Amino acid sequence: MTGDRSRSELLRMTLPNGLRVLLAPWHGTPRVAVTVHYRVGFRVEPPGREGFAHLFEHLMFRGSESLPDGRFYDHVHRLGGTANGSTHQDFTDYYQVVPASALEQALFSEADRMRAPKFTSGSLAEQLSGVEEEIRQATVGRPYGGFPWPLMPEVLYDTFANAHDGYGDVELLRRTTPDDCAEFFDAYYAPANAVLTLVGDFDPEHARGLIEHHFGDIRARPLPSPPDLREPEPAADRWVRCSEPGIPAPAVALGYRLPNPEDDLSGYLAHVVLARLLARRGLADPGWPRPDSSCGFFGLLDARDPDTLVLASLLAPGVTPERLVAAVNERWDEWAEGGKIADAVDEAVRILISEHHRRHSDLQTRGRALGRLEVLFGRGELLDELPELLAKVSPSQVARAARSLRSAHKAVLVIEPAADRIRPRPATAPAPPHERPGPPAVHRDAVGLARTPAGPRPLPALLRARREPRLEGLSDTALNSGLRLVTVRDARAPLVEIRLRVPLRTQGWTCPDHLELLVHLIGVRTGAARLAQAIGGEFLLSTDGQWMDVTGHVPRARLDDWLNILADVVAPTVFPQPVVPPPGALPRRGRLPHRTGDDALRRHWLGGAAADGPIDLAELHRSIMSPLGASLVAVGDLDPVSFTASVEKALLAWWAADISPPPRLALRGTGDLLALRQGGLTEVHVTLCTVRPPERAGEPARYLATAIFGSYMRSRLVTRIARRGPAAYEAYAGRETFLDTHRAYVRARIPDGLVKEALDDIRDEARRLAADPPSAAEVDLAREFCAAQMLSVFDSPAVLADLLRQTVSSGLEPSWLERLPGLLREVPVADVAGAGAELYGTPRLAGVVLGDIDPDRFAAETGLTVTEVHLDDVARR
């Protein structure tokens, strides 16, 4: 992955049928992103057809002439790829990310549904059910549903196109027919109304030939008339109050009109910086919650004019909505002079530029952004120009934006706690549902639409030449302090992704709460997160009971500053001694259930010993904060030699304390099944596992065996669960290594009434894995999926850094990520069968069951022997 790819070459072509194409090669990335943007969003919907564009997006995945009955996903899922779509105000996008060898299959599938999609009554009914649930979850299935989206447009805008939301009324949508869908397709899904974008590892000339072959014969159709989005400026502030039972505090959102980026891009970007400034600095009273503030309901430059700056906040106790609005106005007044905010603007700009580079160094995100900017503004290259344009935003421009918002009329949306749920009525009363946009120039019914003179076409074969992943510029060295340093050069963004992992040893198993408190206090004392943000980076400290992790990134020019922050974190720290944690200081009750279960298991395996009494935080820090056994991974725009020198300089004082090498873990009770009662959970959370010393030999076979048992969509466990229906339960298999212990596990989330059935399923599949070992065909399917999925590791520098950290901390070499796809293709079937029986082939259930359960009743109903443990014993103070 050499060369500066933060600005890739952007090539254009237009087919005779009007389809616009953007080609952005990123050589060295072993996958490719294929996106298609259609210039149609929910702002084209007439009254009575609200939500149709979104429903149509769902239907486009359900079948086409050559790929009927949902076969669109076959090549994607088989190869560990991803495919999805989304509906926005002014466009709908469809995207795939697949191995480079599947480029032609991805193009074929997109062309087939652009040419001849299939719409049936059955697919309509199926997708309406899914859309209904999606709408419910977004608007009423969560606290503050619909706040601020999609309620805010109804308050700020007058015209139907801008004021209505993209969800609509499901009852009206139920009247949709397949012929309605065909009419919508002919009107808006013409090739000339679309942009096709390719990003990744491909040869441009070869890609041109494939695109012309698959898309060239799609019939040209006239472009639709664009919707009229002209919107009068509000003549006064507009207030709408809503209510909802059960919410903890009132919430307020403010909506402002943004400048039109096509006419005033610098003014638009000044508002972007101002929004970030408010989100970072908050309001004048430090006791108030910091508002969320952003431009666009779905992101920066995600819609044409008119677009919205949205500010949203929960109210502090005793603060009225009117007082919050007044406080926002006070901020605009305060920032109306550029000289007062120069430093704050510089900091906000650094953060925005860094975030932009990081977000768009991801394959899928870059492809979608290029196509979005092309279909909305005709300028995909704007994506790579934005960092320079943001850097030119001056404090005086931001001050002008603050003055503009201070004088502008705005929308104010309030949701307050109350006994009844009240929402505003739609801003425009719907017209009768038979009204439609103007008919397309060419119209076919649904049956005729799905048939072409040539008939169905065969799915092309995969390209024979595979793109094998490579870690260019890989360096793996051990510093004199004992710290392992792994670096990879990756120039997709002018950033460096950094991951530090420190093993917590048995202290992490015996006192996870104490370590969580320690990590929290280190972050507070050093101000690491705040300091990293100020230089345009990120610094996150976390612990999971096994490791202390630092996850961060930084612009390459500020790398030394970031390393100095790290040096302060690992340096010896003086704490008051002894420390008695105040009530609520140890945040174990806010942990995810599986984390609580793992804490209980580890404590049990060590014999149940718990740390009581005051905490000597300084000694705890000294005992775990050692470079011995720790690893530092860096991926990005760096030179490994100079980076190593920078690390050695910054961490010169970080040496191993007088810590003897940890003894081998003496575990007991690893065959027990623990029952842990935790009230308030609506599901039962299960972790079943086997524990044994790790073995490096045979690792590819164990990788495939885990996949076959329960870690991909065709696995045995997933297939069995699917027979119980879509709302049954969730379960998946995995493995992990900690020090000298290896664990193979199954995690499950189970509705209370299905626990016995789920455990029986898992136990039966475990037996079958030994009695009915995987066949050659079953192994080949897993090989193809796993080898292709491994390529996703290289989709972005951030993902690559995460997986390198995991690989190194598991005791494997970094080059394992390069070699694994090939090893998976070669491992013998018999080895996979043996690994499956070793890892999962025992019917005995050991692990932990956690939930709002009665252990005695659980044992009686399942016939299992359980050992009851108590939540307070998992992390005793």
Side-chain angles (χ1 to χ4, degrees), residues 55 58-59 61-63 69-70 118-131 174 176-179 181 446:
L55 172 62
H58 282 245
L59 290 167
F61 287 95
R62 300 321 306 161
D69 305 321
K118 295 188 73 170
F119 305 118
T120 67
S121 298
S123 63
L124 263 173
E126 177 187 58
Q127 294 310 304
L128 274 167
S129 177
V131 166
R174 291 191 196 285
T176 303
T177 68
D179 287 350
C181 299

Side-chain angles (χ1 to χ4, degrees), residues 257-545:
R257 289 279 298 273
L258 282 165
N260 183 349
E262 293 185 271
D263 299 333
D264 184 11
L265 182 56
S266 62
Y268 178 97
L269 294 178
H271 282 74
V272 171
V273 175
L274 180 63
R276 176 49 58 92
L277 187 60
L278 183 65
R280 179 147 173 79
R281 295 297 176 99
L283 301 175
D285 190 328
W288 292 6
R290 186 174 298 175
D292 292 325
S293 184
S294 61
C295 290
F297 290 112
F298 303 108
L300 172 70
L301 293 173
D302 195 83
R304 303 189 69 181
D305 185 65
D307 202 1
T308 312
L309 186 151
V310 184
L311 182 159
S313 179
L314 294 178
L315 293 185
V319 176
T320 65
E322 290 78 7
R323 180 66 192 101
L324 178 73
V325 171
V328 173
N329 287 336
E330 290 165 10
R331 268 303 198 204
W332 300 151
D333 287 335
E334 179 186 351
W335 293 343
E337 296 183 29
K340 294 182 178 180
I341 56 173
D343 291 343
V345 167
D346 289 346
E347 182 180 294
V349 166
R350 281 196 297 271
I351 294 171
L352 285 165
I353 291 174
S354 179
E355 288 179 352
H356 179 89
H357 282 309
R358 190 174 194 239
R359 183 178 300 117
H360 297 100
S361 65
D362 174 79
L363 192 62
Q364 179 197 111
T365 307
R366 181 171 180 78
R368 295 179 69 192
L370 284 169
R372 181 187 81 242
L373 294 173
E374 184 72 17
V375 81
L376 289 178
F377 308 110
R379 297 198 63 241
E381 60 272 18
L382 183 59
L383 181 69
D384 290 328
E385 296 171 3
L386 277 171
E388 293 180 8
L389 293 172
L390 283 166
K392 293 178 181 179
V393 174
S394 67
S396 62
Q397 289 175 308
V398 177
R400 188 180 309 125
R403 292 195 297 272
S404 173
L405 294 187
R406 180 64 178 90
S407 62
H409 294 303
K410 56 190 170 294
V412 183
L413 174 66
V414 182
I415 293 186
E416 298 171 302
D420 298 317
R421 187 179 191 274
I422 298 175
R423 293 292 187 269
R425 292 185 176 184
T428 305
H434 65 271
E435 291 193 9
R436 300 287 191 273
V442 179
H443 175 57
R444 295 160 286 175
D445 62 20
V447 174
L449 184 67
R451 294 176 180 170
T452 62
R457 309 172 188 213
L459 183 71
L462 294 173
L463 298 179
R464 291 187 178 181
R466 294 192 183 101
R467 304 289 200 272
E468 298 295 348
R470 289 291 178 264
L471 297 171
E472 300 294 344
L474 171 65
S475 173
D476 183 6
T477 186
L479 304 185
N480 291 334
S481 64
L483 176 68
R484 185 176 183 181
L485 182 60
V486 176
T487 59
V488 172
R489 173 160 167 73
D490 187 321
R492 277 177 282 189
L495 303 172
V496 180
E497 296 283 343
I498 309 178
R499 309 289 186 267
L500 173 69
R501 172 160 280 185
V502 178
L504 298 179
R505 311 181 190 280
T506 56
Q507 290 95 325
W509 289 24
T510 57
C511 51
D513 287 343
H514 297 176
L515 284 166
E516 200 149 328
L517 176 62
L518 174 65
V519 168
H520 170 73
L521 292 176
I522 291 173
V524 172
R525 181 189 65 81
T526 60
R530 174 180 51 80
L531 293 172
Q533 274 200 336
I535 60 174
E538 182 180 60
F539 195 108
L540 302 176
L541 271 166
S542 63
T543 173
D544 65 353

